[in-house]
Amino acid sequence: MAIALLLAILLVILACVYLFIAHPVWFPAGVSAHAAGVDHQFAVAFWLLGALFVAGHIALGISLMRARRRGKVTYTQGDWRLEALWTVLIAVLFFGFNVAGVRLWSQMKFQQPESDAVQVEVTGTQFEWYFRYAGADGKLGDTDAQRFAHPEEGNPLGIDPDDPAGKDDMVSTSLVLPVGRDVDLTLRSNDVIHSLFIPAMRFKQDAVPGMSIHAHFRPMQTGEYEISCAELCGTGHYRMRASVKVVSEAEFKQWVKSKELPSTAK
Amino acid sequence: MEERSTSSTAVSTPGFLRRCVFSTDHKVVGLQYFFLSFAAVLIGTVLSLLMRIHLVWPTVSLPFFGTIKPENYLAFLTMHGTLMVFFVLSTVPQSGFGNYFLPLQLGVSEMAFPKLNAAGFWTTLLSFLILIAAFFVPGGASGAGWTQYPPLSAIANSGPGQALGTDLWLVSMGLFCVASVMGAINFITTTLKMRTPGMDLMRMPLTCWTWFVTAILSLLAFSVLLAAVILLLLDRNAGTAFFVPAGLIVSGKAVAQTGGSPLLWQHLFWFFGHPEVYIAILPGMGVTSHVLSVFSRKPVFGYRAMVWAIVAIGFLGFLVWGHHMFVSGMNPYAAFAFSALTTAIAVPSAIKTFNWIGTIWDGRIRFTTPLLFSVGFVSLFITGGLTGPLLAQPALDIYLHDTYFVVAHFHLIMAMAGLFAIFAATHFWFPKMFGRMMNERLGALHFWITFLGSYAIFMPMHLLGTAGHPRRYSELTGVQYVAAMAPLQKFVTVAAIITMSGQIIFLVNFFWSMFKGPTAPANPWECTTLEWTLPSPTPAGGFGEHVPMVNRGAYEYSAPGAETDYLMQDAPGS
Ligand code: HEM
Ligand SMILES: [Cu+2]
Ligand SMILES: [Cu+2]
């Protein structure tokens, strides 16, 4: 039985290591400014934790291998010195790893977006994402979903028709961004909690009703990337998708212009 | 004293109802909890099987039911999580085995408050029935997940299961909280006040330590959930607005409430919810320590360190709830504190792992089924535990939060490790509970399938998470990059079907052994603790008039100079 258990543990080690090395599915390529830092920290995590996983199982295996069939068992109640050594070792490893990640979080959360950042308001609804840009006046119009929201009449967010600032607001169902410029998102919701998840940008932020939450990142490569919803929001949660289109500065200006035509603005 | 005399008359006039149903005997109550969980785990497992099948073969039509719609999937998901967390993992290890064996291991024949204890069981049963009833009401059971985040859970027209189904969920959980608090008061008082002479705290088996600390956690955590559940019920039915902010419009209807905060629920829920995961796993840690020592024929390595680790985990468990909220919109400065505290809790957990390996190191190991499952527990605990420090880093958790990576993490460390401890404990104490032995061959076979199966199911889920697969998706087709992961999802489903079929071996072994297994001697495993001084099965009166005198700690195996390789706690000498 000892042998069988040893083999099983060996099998588990090998299969898990193989799985992570072969990784049939894995992170999409990171395309935001902070992605490289995040991916580096992930790599550190996988090596550190992977090594501890293998070491822990080898230790477990060895302890089973030493199972004595007969002969005297060394009677011991423990060993304070070993215990302290292990505690210090593991605390240093874990806290070292933790502190290494602190800077990353500070960069993501406490560095303000550049002053030329694109401002986009993101609203999650059951089960659609809306992205609102301020238009030429640079101001978003007031909204009141309870009074004005009419998805079927082209005003899903309930922009106040009497607010002049709202006249040139543009509402899009995909997030269009210029490459290399910060984007400052303001996340909102008028029904339940949703979560804007853009794997390629290493970005996720809940959109909570009653709150306007700011979050920012900088896309570094043109292309189209998928957005999903990561917070259970009801029966359509699984299909609450959208996309980010990252385009050149010129194309972005072009797109803004085309959107600003009075017919599409509202 | 009053309580004492009533229960001894119950013993002397043994009508079936008094003896086996409306009994205040802690052993009967323990078994009642045990069999209630048995029902819950069967339902919970079938639900997870249906979810797994639906994910990869969405067109399969079930007999009497038809195809599974998104709202059905979400209802199964919510009920699976709720049944498994509350009625299995918070019930069997603590209320089941704890009720049966805490008094016996402490050398007494009764709990401090037998009637309160029995009331706790009946309240739990009522809670269970109300939960299950939700399947049969219009709209079906709640689909907001076991975490029930408002406003989804606060507004009746936010989805099909969000009407009566969610009210029933909330009432059921409220009752469960009340029952848990009753049980907790009883456990704490019993441990502090009733121990037999000589049973100092530092001589208690580690199982008793974990039951004791878990009871303290239950008392504090379930009181908070009770409050939160009542507030949410008021929001739903009395027009209050604790969790509902102004200006909502749900399914085309304006919501009248103003001024509430959805994040308040998350704080309350996780202030309960994180200690809850320790409520689920601490007794399992106790069983593992106990079983490894017994079958390695060695004392627990570092008993005192183990006790302190249990206490430290219990304490720190109340300070880490924010790690569930890194992307919630909580103040990002708070993340530093929660991240560091969560990392801190990994340290006592690592101490425990070290000591488990130290316990079996150079032991004379007896490879019984309980030992196999306990070794399996250690393996799963290592694997599931190591992803904890990763998720504790907010910058990394941003990506992995609410993906399958988290599903893998908590199933390994809580669900599977917890189940392994339950299997170990069932095989270990079966002789004492039913007077017969379980079959070792079937036990081992069941272990192999479940051990390898758990890894086959949950390891690949880490990869789904790294590829950004969100959890709680009822179908894979809604998002393109998720659809691309169908092959790996199929592998997981096949592994789950095989592993679940393997559980039939356990069912057969359990019920066959109950009636046909070889009769058990008083102390088949040659253990030192007091429950094994009684005949098997435990007589109705427990120790009766006898008051055991404890002379030593709980893990005197292979002590130098002793005649046998185990010294009973109450054997004479010092
Ligand atoms: C027998 C093997 C099991 C399988 C195959 C399984 C499978 C699943 C699946 C498919 C989900 C849904 C994932 C999603 O869509 O996000 C889930 C969720 C969950 N499971 Fe299990 N499960 C098993 C055992 C357990 C056990 C023993 C527990 C005990 C704690 C448990 C606790 C949970 C919880 C808490 C959730 C989350 C529910 C929610 O999101 O509200 N599972 N499980
Ligand atoms: Cu969603
Ligand atoms: Cu937690």
Side-chain angles (χ1 to χ4, degrees), chain A residues 229 231 233 237:
Chain A
C229 177
E231 181 59 62
C233 55
H237 171 51

Short mmCIF file of all heavy atoms in Angstrom, two decimals, chain A residues 229 231 233 237, ligand 2:
data_model
loop_
_atom_site.label_atom_id
_atom_site.label_comp_id
_atom_site.label_asym_id
_atom_site.label_seq_id
_atom_site.Cartn_x
_atom_site.Cartn_y
_atom_site.Cartn_z
N CYS A 229 -18.31 39.42 -18.88
CA CYS A 229 -18.80 39.88 -17.58
C CYS A 229 -18.38 38.85 -16.54
O CYS A 229 -18.56 37.66 -16.72
CB CYS A 229 -20.31 40.02 -17.58
SG CYS A 229 -20.94 40.51 -15.95
N GLU A 231 -19.13 39.09 -13.09
CA GLU A 231 -19.91 39.02 -11.85
C GLU A 231 -21.32 38.55 -12.19
O GLU A 231 -21.97 39.13 -13.06
CB GLU A 231 -19.96 40.38 -11.15
CG GLU A 231 -20.72 40.38 -9.82
CD GLU A 231 -20.15 39.41 -8.80
OE1 GLU A 231 -19.00 39.59 -8.41
OE2 GLU A 231 -20.87 38.47 -8.42
N CYS A 233 -24.83 38.15 -12.91
CA CYS A 233 -25.79 39.25 -13.01
C CYS A 233 -27.15 38.77 -13.48
O CYS A 233 -28.02 39.57 -13.79
CB CYS A 233 -25.24 40.33 -13.93
SG CYS A 233 -24.79 39.70 -15.55
N HIS A 237 -25.87 36.30 -17.95
CA HIS A 237 -24.49 36.58 -17.54
C HIS A 237 -23.47 35.98 -18.51
O HIS A 237 -22.50 36.62 -18.90
CB HIS A 237 -24.32 36.02 -16.12
CG HIS A 237 -22.93 36.02 -15.60
ND1 HIS A 237 -22.12 37.13 -15.62
CD2 HIS A 237 -22.20 35.04 -15.00
CE1 HIS A 237 -20.95 36.83 -15.06
NE2 HIS A 237 -20.97 35.57 -14.69
CU CU C 2 -22.65 39.19 -15.56
#
